[in-house]
Amino acid sequence: MNKPATIDFTTATPAPAQTQALLDLVPGEARDSLLAIHEVLRRELPQGRLATYEAGGGSSSFLPVDVLSRSHVTVVDIDEDQVRNNTYADEAILGDVQTYRFGPETFDIVICYNVIEHLPDVEAALLNFRDALKHGGMILIGAPNPRSLSGVVTKYSPHWFHVWFYRNIRGIKTAGLPGEAPFPTFFHPLVTLSKLEAFATTHGLEMIYRREVESPRYPEMRQRKPLFAALVDAGAAVMNAVLPRGTDVRRGDYHVILRKR
């Protein structure tokens, strides 16, 4: 087991259990899906105290309040600023989720939200997550769809453009500063949903929740920059018209829950 730096919050005054990540999502498909995930977690997770691993944990959690409040949360993140900014973890570890290994049968749930697209070795990270899960434990993954319009733009545009978009379109003036998104993106092949599903099946994980959703960037843009959003929507509509029936390039994100068999 690796032993990188650890920051223990157990002696600090705990922050209120809030799912700020949910509050930050504007109404739309991504928010609806996250609410549906909350219901799945309430139904499928064991009752009582939970051992939760947030892989790449930022400053807010994607868990529902009632689940977060009964969780002992361990966060592992490679970014020292992200570790420092975390306010809800019981234990925060400065380490790499691709190489950091816990003992077997340690956790009830692993959260990996907006993380795998940033990893050069997604396979190693997923196998670490699986091995650390108890039997019947779950992995919640939220990630961008590399084959969507936003996924293609993200994959092939330079990082400075991502920072510009966050600052000028999303209105996040701290974007690109130390510990702040956007972070460099790799898009390992396993980020593609079909390949992720096949990998999961091969390695003892069953997909119990799967939903592709419109990227939350679209409703954000419609609120903040309606003219710009109209142009993007028009471009997406043209692309949908020439692509195979049923394709929607605005479906820029997906949510899955994998359960260890």
Side-chain angles (χ1 to χ4, degrees):
M1 192 189 315
N2 302 50
K3 293 291 184 182
T6 300
I7 300 173
D8 193 340
F9 291 115
T10 55
T11 58
T13 302
Q18 296 181 12
T19 48
Q20 186 62 40
L22 175 63
L23 300 178
D24 287 343
L25 279 176
V26 297
E29 293 181 3
R31 192 175 190 277
D32 292 344
S33 180
L34 191 56
L35 288 170
I37 286 169
H38 287 180
E39 292 305 312
V40 173
L41 297 182
R42 291 186 181 105
R43 182 175 68 247
E44 299 293 335
L45 282 170
Q47 298 302 308
R49 194 71 173 159
L50 297 170
T52 298
Y53 171 22
E54 293 225 15
S59 58
S60 55
S61 175
F62 288 88
L63 288 172
V65 171
D66 52 310
V67 172
L68 184 61
S69 64
R70 60 187 179 93
S71 293
H72 181 281
V73 179
T74 301
V75 164
V76 175
D77 199 291
I78 201 169
D79 188 297
E80 188 172 355
D81 292 291
Q82 286 284 85
V83 171
R84 186 182 300 111
N85 291 339
N86 187 285
T87 60
Y88 61 87
D90 297 286
E91 183 180 20
I93 299 169
L94 184 63
D96 188 338
V97 300
Q98 299 163 108
T99 58
Y100 194 90
R101 295 183 64 82
F102 291 95
E105 302 280 318
T106 300
F107 295 105
D108 297 291
I109 184 168
V110 178
I111 312 296
C112 188
Y113 205 100
N114 293 339
V115 172
I116 62 171
E117 67 272 22
H118 304 295
L119 302 180
D121 194 349
V122 174
E123 180 175 354
L126 291 175
L127 291 176
N128 285 342
F129 302 160
R130 180 205 62 184
D131 293 347
L133 277 178
K134 299 174 184 177
H135 178 72
M138 293 179 285
I139 307 171
L140 166 61
I141 297 174
N145 176 5
R147 296 179 176 175
S148 66
L149 176 57
S150 57
V152 169
V153 170
T154 299
K155 184 174 182 178
Y156 294 106
S157 60
H159 185 65
W160 65 259
F161 176 79
H162 305 172
V163 175
W164 175 88
F165 182 88
Y166 270 60
R167 290 183 179 180
N168 294 278
I169 304 301
R170 298 193 64 196
I172 303 174
K173 300 307 179 185
T174 58
L177 296 178
E180 299 289 342
F183 303 105
T185 304
F186 290 96
F187 276 127
H188 184 283
L190 282 179
V191 178
T192 302
L193 185 52
S194 58
K195 294 183 179 180
L196 175 62
E197 187 166 13
F199 178 87
T201 300
T202 302
H203 291 87
L205 298 164
E206 61 174 331
M207 191 170 285
I208 63 170
Y209 183 93
R210 180 187 192 275
R211 183 172 175 183
E212 297 179 71
V213 297
E214 182 184 66
S215 168
R217 304 293 84 82
Y218 285 95
E220 275 184 7
M221 287 190 296
R222 292 174 192 131
Q223 286 186 2
R224 289 185 47 79
K225 303 284 185 179
L227 180 58
F228 182 82
L231 293 173
V232 174
D233 276 327
V238 171
M239 295 177 68
N240 289 340
V242 300
L243 289 171
R245 187 174 180 180
T247 300
D248 188 346
V249 297
R250 283 170 291 208
R251 292 230 169 350
D253 286 48
Y254 62 81
H255 296 148
V256 301
I257 299 177
L258 307 176
R259 180 161 56 196
K260 186 176 180 178
R261 292 196 291 265

